[in-house]
Amino acid sequence: MKHYLEAAIVLTLLLPAGGMAQNDATRYMDAAQGSALLYRGHKAFTYTQAFNGTYFWSDPAFETGEVVYNGKRYSGVLLNVDAARQDLLVKTPTGELYKVLASAYVDRFSMGGRQFFNLKKRFGGSAPDGYWELLHDGRAKAFKQVRRTLQQDLDGHLRTGMGYEGGNYNPKIHNIFLYSVSYCYVSEEGRIVPIRRRGQLLNQYKDKKREIKRHLAALERNRSLNFEQFCKEVLSYAESL
């Protein structure tokens, strides 16, 4: 009964000022069912200016996923991440709105087969802000975070920094979302280390460093592994020794 009343309150908040037709209200409740409490957050931020690139983690397409929110697991919901604001967005069942899930209540979520974590909620106040995609899940873990930053681009020289191939680039538009990525290593004890260079990760395995470097030398030539592949390979091999 309590959950039904809460869902009814959420529905009221989502109604336009003039009310919603009875059949629309029924359609919403049928679609939301037990997940109605997910949609009580505020409406996602709207970027009113024209821009090139995207503010989403990968692309604007929402993907079916699962989120642990306020201790409860919700499956089969449509999710995406506003990487500029580090907001987790959920599409309402009718597909008309994007709502923001309060980060203080988001423990983890998955979408498109990828897993994401709120490290600050999991490891405490010293952990970095925002959402982090899990790259390696072993005794130690590796994560990456995508951020998008809106900047002016008057002459088009920032185009290569979009990190996004979708959409049509318009040279007459002078705002662009630039792509950046950060990585971190989390030890078995929960110690979090930002990783910007290969040597920083190798230094986490000083007693195995020689063996790891020998393995990498046999695996790649001219550093053919990108940084993300390198991180995965180092952790996987180190934990196999």
Side-chain angles (χ1 to χ4, degrees), residues 115-131:
Q115 296 184 64
F116 299 79
F117 289 81
N118 179 351
L119 297 187
K120 189 169 286 293
K121 182 170 176 59
R122 176 151 293 209
F123 295 105
S126 62
D129 292 324
Y131 296 111

Side-chain angles (χ1 to χ4, degrees), residues 136-186:
H136 175 83
D137 188 14
R139 297 192 299 274
K141 303 183 188 305
F143 295 90
K144 80 170 185 179
Q145 182 186 74
V146 169
R147 283 194 178 267
R148 306 276 183 176
T149 306
L150 186 63
Q151 293 192 21
Q152 279 197 327
D153 184 24
L154 299 180
D155 57 8
H157 76 283
L158 297 178
R159 180 177 181 177
T160 57
M162 287 194 309
Y164 175 63
E165 300 300 327
N168 296 316
Y169 180 84
N170 187 342
K172 295 181 180 180
I173 294 175
H174 302 308
N175 294 308
I176 187 169
F177 275 102
L178 296 182
Y179 169 93
S180 63
V181 60
S182 300
Y183 297 88
C184 72
Y185 164 88
V186 181

